[in-house]
Amino acid sequence: MIMKEDLFENQRKDMILGQGAILFAGLAKKIDKSLLSSVQEITQLAPFRHMKTSGGFDLSVAMTNCGLLGWVTDEAGYRYQSFDPLSGLVWPKIPPLFLELALEAAERAGYSSFVPSACLINRYVPGAKMSLHQDKDEDDLDSPIVSVSLGLPATFQFGGFNRTDPLQKLLLIHGDVVVWGGKLRLAYHGILPLKSGHHHLTGSTRINLTFRKVF
Ligand code: SIN
Ligand code: FE2
């Protein structure tokens, strides 16, 4: 049966957000179930947790990582590190399927041979948000950021180099992949508070993967 939702999804088109920044509508949808089961395997080893900001506040988004390095924040500040502070163990490996998708998206956006060293996995529940920020903790700013959205839709804000630059707002839905790099590598971006809803694969959550090359 064709659902109204499917018609809407199929009509969506890739969208250029700026020089070197592009939304690939639904690119990850064909492998959505495998991506989500990999997330589940990863979180059995390195569970989602609410990290603390240096100011001592819990982030509303629950996070974990896979890869050689993982992004963490706690009272000592934020950084990339090779082990999970919860277990003391190295982060789970980035599954080959993740790497293939990240590479495909990067290549389509004009960034060849992208080899991410870190994949931050974010889980949003209704009300969770990510304030406007730049991804600037990576030494390698020549490589792009590749972001994969699964589950509930969310409003993504994408701006410029200054926090006050005008923002584009776009709805990211299940399967969408956004790549930004080049001149826009340090663009400010964020996620508005998630609206409640139900997704047949993720329930009342949104999962986001962001791939980064740290060094
Ligand atoms: C991020 O900026 O790290 C996450 C963005 C998103 O959840 O789409
Ligand atoms: Fe980010």
Side-chain angles (χ1 to χ4, degrees):
M1 188 173 64
I2 299 174
M3 313 276 284
K4 211 168 93 194
E5 201 178 278
D6 293 333
L7 288 173
F8 163 72
E9 288 186 20
N10 292 336
Q11 279 168 9
R12 294 171 68 257
K13 292 206 168 67
D14 295 349
M15 206 172 118
I16 296 185
L17 309 180
Q19 205 183 332
I22 180 160
L23 158 68
F24 296 111
L27 182 66
K29 212 177 161 197
K30 54 185 188 287
I31 50 165
D32 56 0
K33 292 194 185 72
S34 315
L35 291 171
L36 287 165
S37 54
S38 292
V39 169
Q40 213 155 39
E41 281 166 25
I42 290 163
T43 56
Q44 271 159 19
L45 301 167
F48 282 117
R49 80 289 307 261
H50 292 275
M51 297 184 192
K52 279 197 194 305
T53 64
S54 54
F57 296 103
D58 280 355
L59 295 179
S60 63
V61 176
M63 297 176 169
T64 187
N65 292 278
C66 58
L68 285 175
L69 289 168
W71 187 88
V72 297
T73 172
D74 57 22
E75 267 104 345
Y78 46 80
R79 63 196 173 272
Y80 279 100
Q81 66 179 43
S82 59
F83 63 93
D84 179 349
L86 280 186
S87 65
L89 301 173
V90 293
W91 298 104
K93 286 200 168 58
I94 302 182
L97 182 77
F98 282 24
L99 287 175
E100 281 159 29
L101 175 64
L103 198 89
E104 181 190 351
E107 223 146 57
R108 281 197 193 203
Y111 305 97
S112 56
S113 5
F114 176 51
V115 185
S117 43
C119 172
L120 174 66
I121 308 177
N122 294 314
R123 185 185 65 194
Y124 297 74
V125 295
K129 66 178 167 74
M130 193 168 294
S131 310
L132 219 51
H133 67 280
Q134 294 168 294
D135 291 354
K136 59 174 183 190
D137 303 329
E138 301 74 28
D139 292 335
D140 185 326
L141 294 176
D142 295 330
S143 293
I145 300 287
V146 174
S147 157
V148 178
S149 293
L150 296 165
L152 286 181
T155 304
F156 181 60
Q157 293 182 304
F158 190 75
F161 310 113
N162 298 303
R163 191 176 283 281
T164 50
D165 285 346
L167 296 167
Q168 303 183 57
K169 273 190 203 175
L170 49 149
L171 193 70
L172 296 182
I173 70 167
H174 181 71
D176 283 352
V177 180
V178 184
V179 180
W180 65 95
K183 284 193 162 56
L184 286 168
R185 174 61 181 73
L186 290 176
Y188 273 91
H189 60 280
I191 292 285
L192 294 183
L194 196 79
K195 292 202 175 105
S196 21
H198 177 84
H199 189 276
H200 68 287
L201 294 178
T202 64
S204 58
T205 66
R206 168 179 187 262
I207 305 287
N208 171 261
L209 317 172
T210 50
F211 296 91
R212 302 108 186 271
K213 186 165 188 295
V214 181
F215 51 78

